[in-house]
Amino acid sequence: MRVRIEVAVCTVSVGRLEVLLGRVGGGTWTLPATGPAGSDALGAAAARAVSDTSGVRDIAMEQLYTFDRGGEEVVVAYLALIDAGRHPIAPGPDVAEVRWFAHDDLPSLAEGQEQVVAYSKRLIDEVGGDAGIGARGVIYLDKTWRGGLRFHVANLASNFNAVDFTLEADKMLVSQGVMSAYIGGGLG
């Protein structure tokens, strides 16, 4: 059985969720994906897939789910929710084009990848709703020095005060147990 890693890299732009896709030549659009190389840990392979596809590095990812694709292939899916403004994209050496697509207006994807996007969207909706911030912003998980996690908030409204909101969001996350759920959830 073959193991494949696929990564749903998401961001929020103008109030909507977007997904990062790349394609080789005029081929099918695809999530960043790869197989483990040598003694690669799965998380390292996921990071390599994102970097090789888009040039994006040093982002936090959460192992999302394992999909069985007909007994021939197992896909280990990861989710990264990033601030696209802090992580510019550029096609990797084997990639002709890389860009953001609205999650609800995706082109045809490689087989089975719609499942990964749908599962990612569901998780983002659940966590955003649990934290009470779904209508105003999305919390981004990102690596900081010492390998810890830092929360970033997307500005979805022009009159939004990100500093005040970040402090309030942190209080909500701690009080509702969301922050500890993320930290204990295997981010890598």
Side-chain angles (χ1 to χ4, degrees), residues 51-74:
S51 176
D52 289 353
T53 299
S54 66
V56 173
R57 292 175 171 70
D58 299 322
I59 59 173
M61 287 183 261
E62 180 175 357
Q63 190 170 331
L64 182 65
Y65 196 77
T66 302
F67 297 91
D68 182 349
R69 297 220 177 120
E72 296 293 321
E73 181 178 68
V74 171

